[in-house]
Amino acid sequence: MFTVTEIATGRGSLQYREENLTGFRCRISPERLKRRIDQPLSLSGESAGCPFCWENIFSVTPTFPNGSRILRGESVTFPNMFPFAAWHTVTVITKDHMVPSFSQQQITDALNAQAESLLLYDGYSSINWNYLPSAGASMIHPHMQGIADPRPTLLAERYLSAGKEYAQKEGKRYWDTVREQELSSDRYLFGDEILWSAHAVPIGEREVRAILPVCRLDELESYTELLADGILKIIQFYRKLGTYAFNMAIFFGREKTKDFSAFCSLISRINPNPLSTSDSAFMERLHNEPVILTLPEDLAQYYRNESR
């Protein structure tokens, strides 16, 4: 399912990995972990003026065309004031400005609210989460974002089109093949109905992917509790490794097709820091070929060690 080319450098080994289905590539350089650019988490809990806090959210945030917002548990969902998609919504996850940890109910409610808001638009949808400023969050108050467009984003489009080609050529689903191989690989983490593994060709540091047993957004609700449980396990795992910031995206198909499975991807990001040091540079932003520090097989071993 992927190729590895390993070369020796003056400071160790470097791997070039390529996913055969999509052609996505990355470089894995474990020696770069020794740079130790990440720092302990340091954040101010100041919430004054936050538009997502309970005392402000119902007077400051916009409403849907019928004048409503979507309320599920603690979560509040509304249109994004500054959209970059044909349909763009925001789900504020918690009443509190900052929480030490999330509950399964909080994440489940937020996922269901996101799905409800995105089903108002007929498009290719994704549910996304930037957590903390170093992961691109403009607001510290935890929130998810949903986007939907007539055309899928580039990564989803690659998997949709390549999955159809794979099925026509091989006579079986690409996603079934991935599930089978990952279940018995050194990258497998946990789960069966929703399978979680360290992705073989990471698009970001410590990428973990979950393959869902559905394709479209309107099929998600039966699995949101199970999905929320898995998301929380990965967040807790990242925190054990010292990383709090992360990005998440859940990609969905649009048509009724057996050639695509919805999937969830999480990547860790460095903690917020006073120097604004970033873990994304020219390779990630301009070459679309991320430099990864952690081997997926090592990441899964870390998970197994932490789970004992």
Side-chain angles (χ1 to χ4, degrees), residues 32-39:
R32 292 179 69 81
L33 277 170
K34 297 176 181 177
R35 295 186 306 155
R36 302 189 183 280
I37 63 171
D38 207 355
Q39 303 175 23

Side-chain angles (χ1 to χ4, degrees), residues 5-16:
T5 303
E6 189 161 350
I7 64 170
T9 71
R11 300 294 298 273
S13 63
L14 169 68
Q15 286 190 5
Y16 299 99

Side-chain angles (χ1 to χ4, degrees), residues 225-289:
E225 286 188 14
L226 185 59
L227 178 59
D229 182 66
I231 291 169
L232 286 174
K233 285 182 179 178
I234 301 307
I235 293 173
Q236 291 160 4
F237 174 46
Y238 285 165
R239 290 186 174 188
K240 287 180 180 178
L241 296 176
T243 301
Y244 285 74
F246 61 84
N247 299 111
M248 181 193 81
I250 310 171
F251 301 89
F252 299 94
R254 182 180 184 180
E255 294 84 8
K256 291 183 179 180
T257 175
K258 295 182 179 180
D259 300 330
F260 181 78
S261 285
F263 65 95
C264 174
S265 174
L266 287 103
I267 61 171
S268 70
R269 302 293 301 273
I270 65 172
N271 295 324
N273 63 85
L275 296 178
S276 298
T277 304
S278 175
D279 51 2
S280 294
F282 65 86
M283 286 299 293
E284 290 79 10
R285 300 303 303 273
L286 300 177
H287 292 265
N288 288 326
E289 195 166 311

Side-chain angles (χ1 to χ4, degrees), residues 41 43-47 50 52-54 74-75 91-107 110 129-132 139-144 232 235-236 239 243-246:
L41 179 67
L43 279 177
S44 168
E46 180 62 44
S47 63
C50 172
F52 292 171
C53 282
W54 201 251
E74 291 185 40
S75 73
T91 294
V92 175
I93 302 171
T94 61
K95 286 185 178 181
D96 292 333
H97 185 68
M98 292 181 66
V99 294
S101 59
F102 299 98
S103 71
Q104 185 193 53
Q105 191 61 55
Q106 288 171 331
I107 303 304
W129 189 359
N130 301 325
Y131 185 63
L132 298 182
M139 298 284 182
I140 289 179
H141 200 127
H143 62 285
M144 295 183 189
L232 286 174
I235 293 173
Q236 291 160 4
R239 290 186 174 188
T243 301
Y244 285 74
F246 61 84

Side-chain angles (χ1 to χ4, degrees), residues 139-161:
M139 298 284 182
I140 289 179
H141 200 127
H143 62 285
M144 295 183 189
Q145 299 184 60
I147 62 171
D149 284 293
R151 182 178 180 180
T153 57
L154 180 59
L155 186 138
E157 189 174 59
R158 286 269 187 96
Y159 281 106
L160 283 160
S161 60

